[in-house]
Amino acid sequence: INSAGVFISEIVCGGPGDTYEFAKGWWVLSVDEQPTPDIDALLAATTQATAAHAPPGPLERHQSVAVRLGSDDGREILKGIRPDPLFWPMFELRRKPDCTW
């Protein structure tokens, strides 16, 4: 099992993972060659990628970011995605003990 990345447990319909055919059960290993061993690193990498690729002002849709994915059986793929401002930079939702977000 590849634990050197962030596990993809769900794909949001209409989001970049859906658009670029990411698969549940795969792992995000890096974003623009920045390793993503945990959620904090993934959030930092997406923020850095946004800053590196964006001109002053809103992120333009023609710019792409390299995302390396890995599977449990050792396969790796590299996908170039165009960040969607509705989903990028990424965020994390955490449910509190009282079942609120």
Side-chain angles (χ1 to χ4, degrees), residues 5-45:
V6 175
F7 185 72
I8 300 172
S9 63
E10 192 59 53
I11 303 294
V12 176
C13 185
D18 181 34
T19 301
Y20 294 99
E21 299 177 345
F22 286 18
K24 290 193 303 188
W26 281 60
W27 301 80
V28 177
L29 304 176
S30 67
V31 173
D32 272 357
E33 299 184 17
Q34 296 296 315
T36 56
D38 56 41
I39 190 71
D40 293 326
L42 178 62
L43 294 171

Side-chain angles (χ1 to χ4, degrees), residues 13-89:
C13 185
D18 181 34
T19 301
Y20 294 99
E21 299 177 345
F22 286 18
K24 290 193 303 188
W26 281 60
W27 301 80
V28 177
L29 304 176
S30 67
V31 173
D32 272 357
E33 299 184 17
Q34 296 296 315
T36 56
D38 56 41
I39 190 71
D40 293 326
L42 178 62
L43 294 171
T46 59
T47 300
Q48 289 173 3
T50 300
H53 293 281
L59 183 64
E60 305 231 353
R61 292 188 58 79
H62 68 274
Q63 298 158 335
S64 64
V65 173
V67 178
R68 188 166 52 98
L69 303 171
S71 68
D72 285 341
D73 63 3
R75 291 179 292 152
E76 291 187 10
I77 57 174
L78 184 65
K79 292 194 176 227
I81 70 166
R82 285 182 270 173
D84 182 329
L86 292 174
F87 296 92
W88 198 278

